[in-house]
Amino acid sequence: MLPHAAIPENPVLIIHFHEIALKGGNQAYFENILKRNILMRLRDKPGARVRHVRNRLVVRGLRREDAAEVLARLQKVFGIVNISVGAEVDADMETMKATAQALVRDLRFESFAVRPKRAEKRYPFTSQDIGREVGAAIGRASHARVDLTHPDLEVFVEVVQGRAYIFAGKLPGPGGLPVSSSGRGVVLFSVGFDAPVAAWRMMKRGLSLHLVHFHGQPQTDDASVRKARALAKVLADWHGRIKLTLVAFAQAQEIISVACPERFRTILYRRMMMRVANKLAWKHRARALVTGESLGQVASQTLPNLAAIEDAAAFPVLRPLIAFDKQEIIAEAQRIGTHDISILPHDEACVLFQPRRVETAAKIEDVRAAEEELDIPWMLDQLMADAVTEVIVPDWWVEPDAA
Ligand code: ATP
Ligand code: MG
C-alpha cells in the first residue's frame, strides 16, 4: 500500500519507467513489452486499460476496490521504476486544486510539498503556478504547512496533453528491463539459494526464462521436484506463466560414474546438464544459458572448472551471481521470496554418485578425453525422451483468450 493511501473514485495508476526511456529509437519496443507485461496482470479486471502518455503508462478503468491488489502485482513488473495511484482530470487550475484537496482530505500530515511537472509549454500556467496555487489550496483545506525539503506528504501534479495526473506518494517498482525484452534464457534450475536468485537477476535484465531441473528420482524422493515447482511459482509472480522441464538424471549419473574417472564426475554431470540445456534452448528459441554459479563457492566453481563446464555449452553462459557472496545471495533470496523454499531439505540428484575426490583444476582436454567412453548422443536422447515440461502459472494468471 502507499504510505499515503489515498485511492480516489475512478483511480488511475501512473507508471514511470526510466531506463527504457533512455533507449532512443528502441523506446517503443521496450514500452510495448512493458505494456503487455502490465496487461497480462489485468486480465481479471474487466474494463482496465493501459495507455502510453509521454514516458508514462497510465492504467484507467480500474475499480477502486481492485487498486491495491493491482498495485501489489505491478510492484513485481520489471521495467517499472515507480507507480502511483491518483486521479486524472482536465488540466484546468480550479479542477486541479479541487482534485488535490479531495485527494488529501482523509490523510494525516503536518507538512507537504507539491511537485508540479508540465510536459508541454502551451498551458496558460507554469509549473511554479501549479505548485503555488495547488499548494495554497491544500494548505487552506488541511492547515498543514509547506515544507519542500522534508515534507510528510508529497503531492504530484503532472500535466500532460491537456490532462492532469494528481497523486500522493509513489510506490517503488523493481526497475530493470521488461521480461522478454532481452530474449529468452534456459536456467539450470537447482533448488538451493543460488539458481532461483540467478534466475530473478536475469529476469530483471529482461530475459524471459525456461527452467530446467535435474532430479534423482526414482533413486531419491520427490523433494527437489516439489521445491523446483514451488520456486518456479514464486518466480512466476514476476515472470508470468513459466515453463519448468524436469529431467530424470540418475541414470546418466550412474553411467558417468561407472565409465569415467571419479575426479571428473561433477564436471561431467554438469557438462551433460549443459547439453540438455542446449537442446532445450534450441527447442524453445532461447539464446543463453543461466546458472547460479559463484566464483570459488565450491570446488566445481573454480575458473578452470567453469571453463571445462562451459566448453559443453552452445550458448553464452550467464552467471549473474559470479561475484556474489553466499550471504548476499541469501539476503536477496529473502527479498524476492525464494529463501524459505530454498532452505527446505532435499536430496541432490548428485548425492548418489558423489565423488570422494573432486578436481579443482580440470583441463579441458582431459575432461573431453574422459568423456570418450560415453555415447553422448544416445544419453542425450534418453534424457530428452524422459523429460517432462510443466507450465507454472502465478495465482493471478488468466489465459489471454479467456479474458
Ligand atoms: P544452488 O544453490 O543453485 O543449488 P549450488 O550452490 O548447490 O547451487 P552447484 O551444485 O555447484 O551449486 O551448482 C551450480 C549450478 O549448476 C547451479 O546454480 C545450477 O545453475 C546448476 N545445477 C546444479 N545442479 C543442478 C540441478 N540438479 N538441476 C539444474 N541445475 C543444476
Ligand atoms: Mg546445487
Side-chain angles (χ1 to χ4, degrees), residues 389-403:
T389 298
E390 300 182 354
V391 175
I392 310 277
V393 297
D395 288 333
W396 44 262
W397 185 256
V398 176
E399 285 302 322
D401 42 2

PDB file of all heavy atoms in Angstrom, residues 389-403:
ATOM      1  N   THR A 389       7.765 -31.429 -19.342  1.00  0.00           N
ATOM      2  CA  THR A 389       7.683 -29.975 -19.190  1.00  0.00           C
ATOM      3  C   THR A 389       6.337 -29.584 -18.599  1.00  0.00           C
ATOM      4  O   THR A 389       5.292 -29.998 -19.098  1.00  0.00           O
ATOM      5  CB  THR A 389       7.919 -29.270 -20.542  1.00  0.00           C
ATOM      6  OG1 THR A 389       9.238 -29.589 -20.979  1.00  0.00           O
ATOM      7  CG2 THR A 389       7.789 -27.766 -20.408  1.00  0.00           C
ATOM      8  N   GLU A 390       6.397 -28.836 -17.521  1.00  0.00           N
ATOM      9  CA  GLU A 390       5.178 -28.372 -16.853  1.00  0.00           C
ATOM     10  C   GLU A 390       5.058 -26.863 -17.032  1.00  0.00           C
ATOM     11  O   GLU A 390       6.059 -26.168 -17.189  1.00  0.00           O
ATOM     12  CB  GLU A 390       5.250 -28.675 -15.352  1.00  0.00           C
ATOM     13  CG  GLU A 390       5.389 -30.155 -15.056  1.00  0.00           C
ATOM     14  CD  GLU A 390       5.408 -30.449 -13.564  1.00  0.00           C
ATOM     15  OE1 GLU A 390       5.433 -29.482 -12.755  1.00  0.00           O
ATOM     16  OE2 GLU A 390       5.406 -31.639 -13.221  1.00  0.00           O
ATOM     17  N   VAL A 391       3.834 -26.387 -16.994  1.00  0.00           N
ATOM     18  CA  VAL A 391       3.598 -24.948 -17.062  1.00  0.00           C
ATOM     19  C   VAL A 391       3.166 -24.481 -15.676  1.00  0.00           C
ATOM     20  O   VAL A 391       2.248 -25.038 -15.088  1.00  0.00           O
ATOM     21  CB  VAL A 391       2.510 -24.613 -18.102  1.00  0.00           C
ATOM     22  CG1 VAL A 391       2.186 -23.125 -18.071  1.00  0.00           C
ATOM     23  CG2 VAL A 391       2.971 -25.029 -19.493  1.00  0.00           C
ATOM     24  N   ILE A 392       3.890 -23.507 -15.157  1.00  0.00           N
ATOM     25  CA  ILE A 392       3.583 -23.000 -13.822  1.00  0.00           C
ATOM     26  C   ILE A 392       3.008 -21.590 -13.980  1.00  0.00           C
ATOM     27  O   ILE A 392       3.605 -20.759 -14.681  1.00  0.00           O
ATOM     28  CB  ILE A 392       4.877 -22.916 -12.963  1.00  0.00           C
ATOM     29  CG1 ILE A 392       5.657 -24.230 -13.029  1.00  0.00           C
ATOM     30  CG2 ILE A 392       4.563 -22.471 -11.541  1.00  0.00           C
ATOM     31  CD1 ILE A 392       5.235 -25.318 -12.109  1.00  0.00           C
ATOM     32  N   VAL A 393       1.886 -21.350 -13.370  1.00  0.00           N
ATOM     33  CA  VAL A 393       1.275 -20.019 -13.501  1.00  0.00           C
ATOM     34  C   VAL A 393       1.136 -19.356 -12.141  1.00  0.00           C
ATOM     35  O   VAL A 393       0.938 -20.021 -11.125  1.00  0.00           O
ATOM     36  CB  VAL A 393      -0.110 -20.087 -14.192  1.00  0.00           C
ATOM     37  CG1 VAL A 393       0.008 -20.603 -15.611  1.00  0.00           C
ATOM     38  CG2 VAL A 393      -1.090 -20.905 -13.382  1.00  0.00           C
ATOM     39  N   PRO A 394       1.233 -18.036 -12.124  1.00  0.00           N
ATOM     40  CA  PRO A 394       1.004 -17.310 -10.873  1.00  0.00           C
ATOM     41  C   PRO A 394      -0.486 -17.311 -10.525  1.00  0.00           C
ATOM     42  O   PRO A 394      -1.327 -17.617 -11.373  1.00  0.00           O
ATOM     43  CB  PRO A 394       1.478 -15.888 -11.194  1.00  0.00           C
ATOM     44  CG  PRO A 394       1.398 -15.769 -12.685  1.00  0.00           C
ATOM     45  CD  PRO A 394       1.605 -17.143 -13.241  1.00  0.00           C
ATOM     46  N   ASP A 395      -0.818 -16.961  -9.279  1.00  0.00           N
ATOM     47  CA  ASP A 395      -2.211 -17.005  -8.841  1.00  0.00           C
ATOM     48  C   ASP A 395      -3.124 -16.095  -9.664  1.00  0.00           C
ATOM     49  O   ASP A 395      -4.295 -16.382  -9.837  1.00  0.00           O
ATOM     50  CB  ASP A 395      -2.313 -16.605  -7.360  1.00  0.00           C
ATOM     51  CG  ASP A 395      -1.757 -17.694  -6.460  1.00  0.00           C
ATOM     52  OD1 ASP A 395      -1.788 -18.880  -6.882  1.00  0.00           O
ATOM     53  OD2 ASP A 395      -1.276 -17.367  -5.364  1.00  0.00           O
ATOM     54  N   TRP A 396      -2.569 -15.000 -10.166  1.00  0.00           N
ATOM     55  CA  TRP A 396      -3.415 -14.034 -10.885  1.00  0.00           C
ATOM     56  C   TRP A 396      -3.592 -14.367 -12.357  1.00  0.00           C
ATOM     57  O   TRP A 396      -4.250 -13.644 -13.094  1.00  0.00           O
ATOM     58  CB  TRP A 396      -2.845 -12.622 -10.731  1.00  0.00           C
ATOM     59  CG  TRP A 396      -1.357 -12.522 -10.901  1.00  0.00           C
ATOM     60  CD1 TRP A 396      -0.431 -12.481  -9.902  1.00  0.00           C
ATOM     61  CD2 TRP A 396      -0.611 -12.466 -12.132  1.00  0.00           C
ATOM     62  NE1 TRP A 396       0.842 -12.400 -10.430  1.00  0.00           N
ATOM     63  CE2 TRP A 396       0.756 -12.389 -11.794  1.00  0.00           C
ATOM     64  CE3 TRP A 396      -0.963 -12.473 -13.491  1.00  0.00           C
ATOM     65  CZ2 TRP A 396       1.774 -12.315 -12.756  1.00  0.00           C
ATOM     66  CZ3 TRP A 396       0.045 -12.408 -14.446  1.00  0.00           C
ATOM     67  CH2 TRP A 396       1.394 -12.334 -14.064  1.00  0.00           C
ATOM     68  N   TRP A 397      -3.004 -15.474 -12.790  1.00  0.00           N
ATOM     69  CA  TRP A 397      -2.946 -15.743 -14.226  1.00  0.00           C
ATOM     70  C   TRP A 397      -4.314 -16.017 -14.845  1.00  0.00           C
ATOM     71  O   TRP A 397      -5.110 -16.784 -14.319  1.00  0.00           O
ATOM     72  CB  TRP A 397      -2.045 -16.943 -14.501  1.00  0.00           C
ATOM     73  CG  TRP A 397      -1.854 -17.209 -15.956  1.00  0.00           C
ATOM     74  CD1 TRP A 397      -2.437 -18.196 -16.710  1.00  0.00           C
ATOM     75  CD2 TRP A 397      -1.027 -16.453 -16.852  1.00  0.00           C
ATOM     76  NE1 TRP A 397      -2.010 -18.099 -18.009  1.00  0.00           N
ATOM     77  CE2 TRP A 397      -1.156 -17.035 -18.127  1.00  0.00           C
ATOM     78  CE3 TRP A 397      -0.202 -15.335 -16.700  1.00  0.00           C
ATOM     79  CZ2 TRP A 397      -0.486 -16.543 -19.242  1.00  0.00           C
ATOM     80  CZ3 TRP A 397       0.463 -14.851 -17.811  1.00  0.00           C
ATOM     81  CH2 TRP A 397       0.318 -15.454 -19.064  1.00  0.00           C
ATOM     82  N   VAL A 398      -4.587 -15.386 -15.964  1.00  0.00           N
ATOM     83  CA  VAL A 398      -5.757 -15.688 -16.787  1.00  0.00           C
ATOM     84  C   VAL A 398      -5.233 -15.867 -18.204  1.00  0.00           C
ATOM     85  O   VAL A 398      -4.466 -15.034 -18.689  1.00  0.00           O
ATOM     86  CB  VAL A 398      -6.777 -14.521 -16.765  1.00  0.00           C
ATOM     87  CG1 VAL A 398      -7.938 -14.802 -17.700  1.00  0.00           C
ATOM     88  CG2 VAL A 398      -7.275 -14.262 -15.346  1.00  0.00           C
ATOM     89  N   GLU A 399      -5.584 -16.961 -18.851  1.00  0.00           N
ATOM     90  CA  GLU A 399      -5.115 -17.174 -20.231  1.00  0.00           C
ATOM     91  C   GLU A 399      -5.579 -16.022 -21.118  1.00  0.00           C
ATOM     92  O   GLU A 399      -6.682 -15.508 -20.946  1.00  0.00           O
ATOM     93  CB  GLU A 399      -5.684 -18.491 -20.780  1.00  0.00           C
ATOM     94  CG  GLU A 399      -5.009 -19.741 -20.236  1.00  0.00           C
ATOM     95  CD  GLU A 399      -3.499 -19.785 -20.508  1.00  0.00           C
ATOM     96  OE1 GLU A 399      -3.077 -19.358 -21.600  1.00  0.00           O
ATOM     97  OE2 GLU A 399      -2.752 -20.232 -19.617  1.00  0.00           O
ATOM     98  N   PRO A 400      -4.755 -15.637 -22.089  1.00  0.00           N
ATOM     99  CA  PRO A 400      -5.076 -14.463 -22.917  1.00  0.00           C
ATOM    100  C   PRO A 400      -6.446 -14.558 -23.560  1.00  0.00           C
ATOM    101  O   PRO A 400      -7.203 -13.590 -23.555  1.00  0.00           O
ATOM    102  CB  PRO A 400      -3.999 -14.471 -23.996  1.00  0.00           C
ATOM    103  CG  PRO A 400      -2.900 -15.296 -23.458  1.00  0.00           C
ATOM    104  CD  PRO A 400      -3.464 -16.219 -22.432  1.00  0.00           C
ATOM    105  N   ASP A 401      -6.789 -15.706 -24.124  1.00  0.00           N
ATOM    106  CA  ASP A 401      -8.078 -15.768 -24.851  1.00  0.00           C
ATOM    107  C   ASP A 401      -9.264 -15.945 -23.907  1.00  0.00           C
ATOM    108  O   ASP A 401     -10.406 -15.809 -24.316  1.00  0.00           O
ATOM    109  CB  ASP A 401      -8.058 -16.877 -25.909  1.00  0.00           C
ATOM    110  CG  ASP A 401      -7.383 -18.141 -25.377  1.00  0.00           C
ATOM    111  OD1 ASP A 401      -6.997 -18.127 -24.199  1.00  0.00           O
ATOM    112  OD2 ASP A 401      -7.264 -19.117 -26.133  1.00  0.00           O
ATOM    113  N   ALA A 402      -8.984 -16.229 -22.636  1.00  0.00           N
ATOM    114  CA  ALA A 402     -10.090 -16.377 -21.681  1.00  0.00           C
ATOM    115  C   ALA A 402     -10.539 -15.023 -21.148  1.00  0.00           C
ATOM    116  O   ALA A 402     -11.592 -14.896 -20.561  1.00  0.00           O
ATOM    117  CB  ALA A 402      -9.649 -17.260 -20.510  1.00  0.00           C
ATOM    118  N   ALA A 403      -9.698 -13.982 -21.383  1.00  0.00           N
ATOM    119  CA  ALA A 403     -10.016 -12.684 -20.782  1.00  0.00           C
ATOM    120  C   ALA A 403     -11.130 -11.981 -21.551  1.00  0.00           C
ATOM    121  O   ALA A 403     -11.336 -12.225 -22.712  1.00  0.00           O
ATOM    122  CB  ALA A 403      -8.773 -11.795 -20.775  1.00  0.00           C
TER     123      ALA A 403
END
